[in-house]
Amino acid sequence: MMLKRRTLLATTLALPAVRARAASGWLPERPVRMFVPFAAGGPADIFGRVFADALGKELRQPVVVENRGGAGGLLGTDAVAKSAPDGSTLGFTGPGALSIAPAMPQQQMPFDVYKDLAHLTLVVRVPEVLVVNAKSDIKELAALVALAKQKPGSVNYGSAGVGSITHLASALLASEAKMEALHIPYRGVAPAATDLLSGRFTYLIADVPALRPHIEAGAFRPLAVTTAQRVPSLPDVPTTAELGLPRVISDNWYGLALPAATPAHIREGMRDAATRALNSPELAQGFAAQGGEASPLAPEAYLDFLQAEAAKWGPLVKQSGAESL
């Protein structure tokens, strides 16, 4: 009799968890790994970890971030495409690997953007800012452009890697301003920022949350935000449009992907959990505190967004000369 009571009690206690799992659809049975295809400490890492924490609460399993940087996000994204399609591995994807690299004729793509990945939703949009070392004599964007024109070869810029949005944004600036600038690629924004602190190159365009601490500490001087409107966290910094370069717009973004062969019920369960996380006030506040905006999209709308980004950046790769850098 005692054994029956214990069995009944255990079954009763387990019912809420079982019902919750059934109501939520598919949920993982073990921790989930999420590849962030850039170095730790950079903007992708910052937003990826905030999102992983919120997503883990919805999945009722930890979402463990694994940084795998290199090749402008291609290496980490390729790792997702080639992972087991069982819901145990996610990818925190970005424009470098999905919208820019495919347009580079010299780039050997290790995966097909649409055939090898299941794109679930846009996660966050992030503004970018152009900075120089605070010890530099360059006080404004016009002075940077003038220096590059007066002394060809004297101006260079860092990026998060060849094909990253930080690379193409700077190439776009050089093209629109009709100036020469040498590209120095890194394995993420964090190591690039470290070298800018040491004065090893002239300027860097990267996500606001990654550079704002250095700006607030007085180590970096912001010259412009590469957005259509001013950024609330940097209200005194003019836009590139205000400074006469209206085509230099380069908002960054990150999305969520699974291997393409992942079964539909797992894709739907993961997407539902991600959407709930992105619609939560807590995550919206967490992203806003870092300068980003939670931006969930339905799968069809997200695919339209990806195609529009490819159409925007693809021709620009050639026009700006980024394909030869």
Side-chain angles (χ1 to χ4, degrees), residues 32-296:
V32 174
R33 175 178 59 175
M34 187 172 79
F35 283 119
V36 171
F38 292 100
D45 184 59
I46 293 171
F47 286 105
R49 291 180 186 277
V50 173
F51 176 65
D53 182 62
L55 180 61
K57 293 175 182 177
E58 295 296 336
L59 293 176
R60 304 189 184 94
Q61 289 286 354
V63 176
V64 181
V65 170
E66 182 173 328
N67 297 94
R68 188 166 296 191
L74 281 178
L75 295 184
T77 306
D78 184 48
V80 178
K82 292 179 170 57
S83 296
D86 57 6
S88 64
T89 303
L90 286 166
F92 199 64
T93 54
L98 301 186
S99 303
I100 298 173
M104 293 183 169
Q106 82 281 12
Q107 178 65 60
Q108 296 295 318
M109 288 293 292
F111 60 89
D112 185 288
V113 171
Y114 298 103
K115 293 181 180 179
D116 296 331
L117 292 166
H119 302 286
L120 304 184
T121 181
L122 184 64
V123 173
V124 60
R125 301 192 71 146
V126 192
E128 296 202 315
V129 59
L130 187 159
V131 297
V132 297
N133 189 300
K135 296 178 181 179
S136 168
D137 292 332
I138 300 171
K139 307 294 184 182
E140 55 188 22
L141 183 57
L144 172 66
V145 174
L147 176 63
K149 291 180 177 180
Q150 292 168 5
K151 297 181 179 181
S154 65
V155 170
N156 44 32
Y157 64 89
S159 81
V162 174
S164 68
I165 192 73
T166 59
H167 169 202
L168 199 56
S170 287
L172 173 60
L173 171 65
S175 176
E176 289 295 308
K178 295 179 175 54
M179 69 184 202
E180 293 183 12
L182 176 66
H183 177 213
I184 303 176
Y186 289 82
R187 293 175 64 88
V189 169
T194 298
D195 270 11
L196 183 60
L197 287 170
S198 300
R200 294 183 179 176
F201 57 86
T202 313
Y203 74 92
L204 173 66
I205 297 178
D207 293 4
V208 166
L211 301 182
R212 190 173 62 184
H214 298 296
I215 294 172
E216 293 174 346
F220 287 166
R221 178 183 300 122
L223 302 186
V225 287
T226 60
T227 58
Q229 298 178 345
R230 291 201 180 195
V231 175
S233 58
L234 297 172
D236 297 328
V237 180
T239 68
T240 43
E242 290 177 67
L243 299 176
L245 295 168
R247 283 174 49 84
V248 183
I249 303 294
S250 60
D251 290 344
N252 202 357
W253 53 267
Y254 300 101
L256 192 66
L258 286 167
T262 304
H265 73 284
I266 296 179
R267 294 200 306 269
E268 292 169 3
M270 190 69 76
R271 183 171 58 245
D272 289 346
T275 300
R276 290 194 302 272
L278 290 170
N279 283 326
S280 69
E282 294 79 12
L283 183 59
Q285 292 171 6
F287 277 175
Q290 299 295 337
E293 180 182 0
S295 306

Side-chain angles (χ1 to χ4, degrees), residues 19-41:
R19 287 171 180 163
R21 182 174 291 274
S24 301
W26 175 86
L27 289 173
E29 297 180 354
R30 60 182 184 276
V32 174
R33 175 178 59 175
M34 187 172 79
F35 283 119
V36 171
F38 292 100

